[in-house]
């Protein structure tokens, strides 16, 4: 229990965090560990969205359907669910080293298999095997940032460290959205597709080499009082999460938010190409969204590190992201509106990515002393499940319709390198976009007025009542 008064301030783990047993210290090697996690997230995200901005061309080259191409992204969400629970347990019970090594090896192996699949005449089944290996690696990169920040960084740098490692994922997405349309040439499809996948191996290989520097799961001397204390055992912590109402509310909002983002990443090119937007435009639009998000996350992580206003910052970000998403849902079904599409996605990205490090840190704050890997990992799992559901719903016949022959003249959704209008995709996904925006808006309307949270970790380190912090940091 956490107690306040004349008695020592004790956590569930049994260590006194108000009167620590040793001085705190930070080590230079923390940056190498952060780099290893960041490179894993960066390279894995590139592999995730490689085919999203060139979905139609990929379908033509590998002689498969667009639905199968979408599965190259959806498999990431599916694979992360069973593997995610294993990674949560592994990070909290065995440690960081095994997790990072496993992720780096899986990611690099999958990258190599993708090249082999492309070089042997477009073997889609082998491409899917390679993509699945990369998908299995994703939780090993997404789940550790909060743990690395808590175990290796001082309290006033935790949100920034979390941001640097977590935001490597959207940076990778930005690269994965921007680069493929400029490399893959329909006139030389085999050569350029193979070249693209060779390029994707480079960051995966660098990550594998960098992971060699990770040899300790925790520093010899902790950087803060909470890092010195003992976390809850995995299954006990999982049980506490299930009974924590504040965490449940955060889980609900985070899951919908991440699910919406997964829809945009997976289907962005298919939202835009019927209205005359080239693959390069879709790729740049995705890149703009991610780069704006990098700026937003930098601003929010700096702000909450200094002020600890997690809840207020999170609510502002959720409202801003919902506005940006509704804006995009309206303009995405219009032709010749490139500037508005870029602006709406930049707005969404700034606030949508801006909430990412704040929500992950708040997940730790409201569940402390549950282990950081567990609280963050369950959030990511919820988002992946919601992503699968929303991506599938967005492609249902009830939400998509054929565009008219007149509108089809604008379409840039040709399969492979064909310019034959008869095989251009004639699907209007405007209603699917409006559905996703509606889901996000309803979620924000529920979450913003009702969510409140105590900052239990900050309270434990400060020696104050968490309920007092609930009143003063709302």
């Amino acid at each position: 229990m956490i107690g306040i008064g004349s008695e020592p301030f004790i956590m569930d783990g049994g260590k006194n965090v108000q009167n620590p047993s040793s001085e705190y210290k930070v080590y230079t090697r923390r940056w190498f560990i952060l780099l290893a996690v960041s490179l894993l997230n960066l390279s894995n995200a590139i592999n995730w969205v490689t085919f999203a901005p060139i979905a139609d061309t990929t379908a033509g080259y590998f002689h498969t359907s667009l639905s199968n191409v979408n599965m190259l992204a959806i498999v990431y969400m599916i694979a992360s669910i069973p593997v995610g629970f294993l990674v949560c347990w592994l990070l909290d019970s065995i440690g960081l080293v095994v997790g990072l090594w496993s992720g780096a090896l899986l990611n690099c192996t999958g990258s190599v298999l993708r090249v082999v699949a492309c070089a042997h005449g477009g073997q889609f089944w082998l491409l899917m095997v390679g993509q699945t290996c990369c998908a299995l690696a994703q939780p090993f990169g997404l789940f550790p940032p909060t743990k690395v920040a808590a175990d290796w960084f001082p309290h006033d740098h935790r949100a920034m460290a979390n941001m640097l490692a977590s935001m490597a994922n959207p940076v990778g997405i930005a690269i994965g959205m921007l680069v493929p349309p400029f490399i893959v040439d329909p006139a030389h499809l085999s050569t350029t597709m193979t070249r693209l996948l060779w390029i994707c191996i480079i960051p995966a290989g660098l990550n594998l080499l960098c992971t060699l520097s990770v040899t300790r799961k925790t520093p010899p001397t902790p950087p803060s009082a909470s890092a010195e204390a003992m976390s809850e055992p995995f299954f006990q912590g999982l049980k506490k999460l299930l009974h924590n109402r504040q965490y449940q509310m955060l889980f609900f909002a985070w899951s919908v938010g991440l699910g919406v983002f997964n829809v945009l990443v997976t289907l962005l090119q298919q939202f835009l190409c019927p209205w005359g937007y080239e693959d390069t435009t879709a790729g740049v639009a995705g890149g703009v969204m991610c780069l704006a998000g990098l700026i937003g996350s930098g601003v929010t992580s700096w702000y909450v590190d200094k002020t600890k206003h997690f809840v207020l910052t999170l609510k502002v970000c959720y409202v801003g992201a919902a506005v940006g998403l509704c804006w995009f849902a309206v303009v995405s079904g219009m032709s010749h509106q490139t500037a508005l599409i870029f602006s709406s996605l930049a707005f969404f990205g700034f606030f949508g990515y801006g909430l990412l490090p704040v929500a992950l840190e708040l997940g730790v704050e409201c569940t402390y002393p549950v282990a950081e890997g567990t609280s963050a990992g369950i959030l990511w799992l919820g988002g992946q499940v919601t992503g699968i559901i929303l991506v599938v719903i967005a492609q249902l016949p009830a939400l998509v319709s054929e565009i008219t022959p007149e509108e089809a003249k604008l379409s840039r959704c040709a399969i492979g390198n064909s310019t034959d209008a008869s095989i251009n995709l004639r699907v209007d996904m405007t209603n699917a976009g409006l559905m996703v925006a509606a889901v996000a808006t309803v979620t924000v309307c529920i979450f913003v007025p009702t969510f409140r949270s105590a900052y239990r970790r900050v309270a434990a380190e400060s020696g104050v009542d968490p309920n007092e912090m609930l009143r003063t940091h709302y």
Side-chain angles (χ1 to χ4, degrees), residues 47-99:
N47 289 339
W48 175 27
V49 301
T50 303
F51 306 104
I54 53 170
D56 45 10
T57 305
T58 303
Y61 179 72
F62 286 95
H63 309 290
T64 190
S65 67
L66 199 60
S67 297
N68 284 340
V69 173
N70 290 339
M71 281 300 301
L72 294 171
I74 296 173
V75 70
Y76 265 69
M77 307 174 214
I78 296 173
S80 68
I81 297 169
V83 177
F85 286 103
L86 173 64
V87 173
C88 286
W89 171 82
L90 188 148
L91 289 175
D92 296 335
S93 303
I94 298 178
L96 188 67
V97 178
V98 174

Side-chain angles (χ1 to χ4, degrees), residues 346-419:
F347 198 88
F348 171 78
F350 183 90
F351 290 101
Y353 282 115
L355 66 83
L356 190 150
V358 181
L360 290 175
E361 285 294 304
L362 186 56
V364 175
E365 291 292 340
C366 72
T367 60
Y368 187 79
V370 174
E372 298 83 4
T374 302
S375 60
I378 298 302
L379 288 178
W380 283 111
L381 287 176
Q384 301 291 44
V385 171
T386 309
I388 295 170
I389 295 170
L390 289 178
V391 170
V392 170
I393 292 175
Q395 300 176 80
L396 292 178
L399 290 174
V400 299
S401 59
E402 289 192 5
I403 58 180
T404 66
E406 187 66 26
E407 292 170 336
K409 296 177 182 178
L410 291 171
S411 178
R412 294 295 182 269
C413 303
I415 295 295
N417 60 1
S418 175
T419 57

Side-chain angles (χ1 to χ4, degrees), residues 11 191 209 267 276 291 307 391 456:
M11 299 189 321
T191 301
L209 292 175
L267 303 177
L291 294 177
T307 66
V391 170
R456 301 182 187 279

Side-chain angles (χ1 to χ4, degrees), residues 146-271:
T146 51
K147 183 172 182 61
V148 172
D151 288 348
W152 288 88
F153 286 81
H155 69 90
D156 56 344
H157 289 160
R158 283 193 298 239
M160 186 62 68
N162 190 1
M163 182 274 294
L164 290 173
S166 298
M167 289 307 294
N169 179 267
V171 171
I173 293 172
I175 296 171
M177 296 292 284
L178 281 168
V179 172
F182 290 96
I183 291 181
V184 175
D185 180 2
H188 305 89
L189 198 49
S190 179
T191 301
T192 54
M193 185 72 77
T194 304
R195 181 183 302 153
L196 171 65
L197 298 185
W198 270 112
I199 292 172
C200 293
I201 288 181
I202 296 173
L206 290 175
N207 168 239
L208 187 59
L209 292 175
C210 184
T211 306
L212 294 173
S213 67
V214 181
T215 57
R216 293 188 63 101
K217 62 180 181 179
T218 56
T221 303
S224 66
S226 59
E228 183 183 24
M230 185 185 303
S231 298
E232 295 279 359
F234 173 70
F235 289 105
Q236 185 177 341
L238 194 61
K239 183 178 179 180
K240 287 196 170 185
L241 295 183
L242 296 175
H243 294 87
N244 186 318
R245 186 177 179 278
Q246 297 165 349
Y247 184 80
Q248 291 170 358
M249 286 289 295
L250 181 63
F251 176 85
F252 162 69
W254 168 274
S255 297
V256 174
L258 184 58
V260 166
F261 170 73
N262 285 338
V263 171
L264 282 183
V265 170
T266 304
L267 303 177
L268 181 59
Q269 185 258 355
Q270 296 160 59
F271 276 120

